[in-house]
Amino acid sequence: MVTKQLNDGSPDEADLTRADSLAREIFSDVANKWALLIIEVLGDGTLRFGEVRNKVEGISHKMLTQNLRMLERNGLVERNVHPTVPPRVEYTLTEPGQALRATVDGMCDWTHRYFGHIEASRHRFDA
Protein backbone atom coordinates (compact mmCIF):
# COMPACT_ATOMS: atom_id res chain seq x y z
CA MET A 1 0.00 0.00 0.00
CA VAL A 2 1.30 3.45 -0.86
CA THR A 3 0.96 5.84 2.03
CA LYS A 4 0.61 9.54 1.52
CA GLN A 5 3.11 11.54 3.54
CA LEU A 6 1.03 14.69 3.96
CA ASN A 7 -2.57 15.52 3.27
CA ASP A 8 -2.59 18.79 1.37
CA GLY A 9 -6.27 19.28 2.18
CA SER A 10 -7.29 19.13 -1.46
CA PRO A 11 -10.74 17.78 -2.35
CA ASP A 12 -9.01 15.03 -4.34
CA GLU A 13 -7.60 13.57 -1.10
CA ALA A 14 -11.14 13.05 0.24
CA ASP A 15 -12.54 11.56 -3.00
CA LEU A 16 -13.21 7.84 -2.54
CA THR A 17 -13.56 7.34 -6.28
CA ARG A 18 -9.94 8.38 -6.93
CA ALA A 19 -7.51 5.46 -6.75
CA ASP A 20 -4.76 7.67 -5.31
CA SER A 21 -6.80 9.43 -2.62
CA LEU A 22 -6.05 9.22 1.08
CA ALA A 23 -9.77 8.65 1.69
CA ARG A 24 -9.68 5.46 -0.38
CA GLU A 25 -6.63 4.26 1.53
CA ILE A 26 -8.42 4.83 4.85
CA PHE A 27 -11.59 3.20 3.53
CA SER A 28 -9.61 0.21 2.34
CA ASP A 29 -7.97 -0.13 5.74
CA VAL A 30 -11.14 -0.14 7.81
CA ALA A 31 -13.54 -1.86 5.38
CA ASN A 32 -12.46 -5.41 6.05
CA LYS A 33 -14.23 -8.05 8.09
CA TRP A 34 -11.62 -8.24 10.83
CA ALA A 35 -11.38 -4.49 11.38
CA LEU A 36 -15.16 -4.17 11.54
CA LEU A 37 -15.46 -7.05 14.01
CA ILE A 38 -12.66 -5.66 16.20
CA ILE A 39 -14.36 -2.25 16.23
CA GLU A 40 -17.62 -3.92 17.19
CA VAL A 41 -16.18 -5.83 20.16
CA LEU A 42 -14.10 -2.88 21.39
CA GLY A 43 -17.26 -0.78 21.37
CA ASP A 44 -18.28 -2.52 24.58
CA GLY A 45 -15.17 -1.28 26.39
CA THR A 46 -11.45 -1.69 26.90
CA LEU A 47 -10.11 -5.19 26.25
CA ARG A 48 -6.79 -6.99 26.40
CA PHE A 49 -5.39 -8.69 23.28
CA GLY A 50 -6.53 -12.17 24.35
CA GLU A 51 -10.00 -10.92 25.17
CA VAL A 52 -10.35 -9.40 21.69
CA ARG A 53 -9.11 -12.65 20.14
CA ASN A 54 -11.63 -14.68 22.16
CA LYS A 55 -14.51 -12.42 21.13
CA VAL A 56 -13.60 -12.38 17.41
CA GLU A 57 -13.94 -16.05 16.64
CA GLY A 58 -11.68 -17.35 13.88
CA ILE A 59 -9.14 -14.51 13.82
CA SER A 60 -5.50 -15.56 13.92
CA HIS A 61 -2.93 -13.97 16.20
CA LYS A 62 -1.22 -12.46 13.14
CA MET A 63 -4.41 -10.97 11.67
CA LEU A 64 -5.46 -9.53 15.02
CA THR A 65 -2.04 -7.95 15.49
CA GLN A 66 -2.03 -6.48 11.98
CA ASN A 67 -5.54 -5.08 12.30
CA LEU A 68 -5.00 -3.61 15.76
CA ARG A 69 -1.84 -1.87 14.51
CA MET A 70 -3.68 -0.54 11.46
CA LEU A 71 -6.57 0.72 13.60
CA GLU A 72 -4.11 2.35 15.98
CA ARG A 73 -2.22 3.94 13.07
CA ASN A 74 -5.48 5.40 11.77
CA GLY A 75 -6.35 6.80 15.20
CA LEU A 76 -9.35 4.54 15.76
CA VAL A 77 -7.88 2.42 18.56
CA GLU A 78 -5.70 3.45 21.45
CA ARG A 79 -3.13 0.99 22.79
CA ASN A 80 -2.25 1.35 26.46
CA VAL A 81 0.76 -0.56 27.85
CA HIS A 82 0.86 -0.92 31.63
CA PRO A 83 4.39 -1.20 33.07
CA THR A 84 3.95 -4.55 34.76
CA VAL A 85 5.78 -7.86 34.39
CA PRO A 86 4.63 -9.21 32.05
CA PRO A 87 3.35 -6.02 30.39
CA ARG A 88 -0.43 -5.64 30.31
CA VAL A 89 -1.64 -4.19 27.02
CA GLU A 90 -5.18 -2.89 26.60
CA TYR A 91 -7.05 -1.59 23.57
CA THR A 92 -9.90 0.88 23.51
CA LEU A 93 -11.74 2.81 20.82
CA THR A 94 -10.93 6.49 20.41
CA GLU A 95 -13.63 9.07 19.69
CA PRO A 96 -13.34 8.54 15.90
CA GLY A 97 -13.39 4.78 16.55
CA GLN A 98 -16.60 5.13 18.56
CA ALA A 99 -18.12 7.17 15.72
CA LEU A 100 -17.17 4.43 13.25
CA ARG A 101 -18.67 1.88 15.60
CA ALA A 102 -22.05 3.56 15.13
CA THR A 103 -21.71 2.85 11.40
CA VAL A 104 -20.67 -0.74 12.11
CA ASP A 105 -23.73 -1.13 14.36
CA GLY A 106 -25.87 0.08 11.45
CA MET A 107 -24.30 -2.54 9.20
CA CYS A 108 -24.98 -5.22 11.81
CA ASP A 109 -28.60 -4.08 12.08
CA TRP A 110 -28.89 -4.16 8.27
CA THR A 111 -27.48 -7.71 8.21
CA HIS A 112 -30.00 -8.90 10.81
CA ARG A 113 -32.88 -7.13 9.08
CA TYR A 114 -32.17 -8.57 5.62
CA PHE A 115 -30.62 -11.89 6.61
CA GLY A 116 -33.64 -13.94 5.52
CA HIS A 117 -33.94 -12.08 2.23
CA ILE A 118 -30.26 -12.57 1.40
CA GLU A 119 -30.33 -16.21 2.44
CA ALA A 120 -33.35 -16.86 0.19
CA SER A 121 -31.74 -14.99 -2.71
CA ARG A 122 -28.55 -17.02 -2.37
CA HIS A 123 -30.57 -20.23 -2.31
CA ARG A 124 -32.40 -19.26 -5.51
CA PHE A 125 -29.17 -18.18 -7.22
CA ASP A 126 -27.26 -21.32 -6.26
CA ALA A 127 -30.08 -23.69 -7.23
Side-chain angles (χ1 to χ4, degrees):
M1 170 185 337
V2 176
T3 302
K4 308 244 181 263
Q5 295 300 322
L6 295 172
N7 181 358
D8 62 9
S10 71
D12 291 343
E13 288 297 320
D15 186 352
L16 280 172
T17 63
R18 290 180 53 96
D20 63 344
S21 74
L22 180 59
R24 184 175 295 184
E25 182 181 328
I26 295 165
F27 187 80
S28 178
D29 279 352
V30 300
N32 76 70
K33 70 178 177 182
W34 298 125
L36 296 175
L37 292 170
I38 292 166
I39 290 165
E40 182 64 18
V41 301
L42 285 176
D44 293 333
T46 300
L47 296 172
R48 294 179 70 178
F49 183 92
E51 294 171 320
V52 176
R53 188 177 59 220
N54 290 339
K55 289 180 178 264
V56 181
E57 190 174 313
I59 193 168
S60 70
H61 186 280
K62 178 182 176 181
M63 288 307 299
L64 180 55
T65 299
Q66 288 176 348
N67 276 274
L68 283 168
R69 286 181 182 162
M70 175 273 299
L71 292 167
E72 183 182 9
R73 178 176 182 259
N74 283 305
L76 303 173
V77 168
E78 182 178 284
R79 181 177 181 260
N80 189 11
V81 181
H82 298 275
T84 60
V85 178
R88 190 175 89 233
V89 181
E90 296 176 328
Y91 298 90
T92 190
L93 291 180
T94 62
E95 184 180 337
Q98 287 287 355
L100 182 56
R101 199 245 178 150
T103 300
V104 173
D105 285 346
M107 292 173 65
C108 291
D109 292 345
W110 175 88
T111 302
H112 292 126
R113 181 175 181 183
Y114 292 104
F115 182 85
H117 173 83
I118 293 167
E119 186 178 38
S121 182
R122 285 181 170 194
H123 180 73
R124 284 190 308 274
F125 186 86
D126 294 339

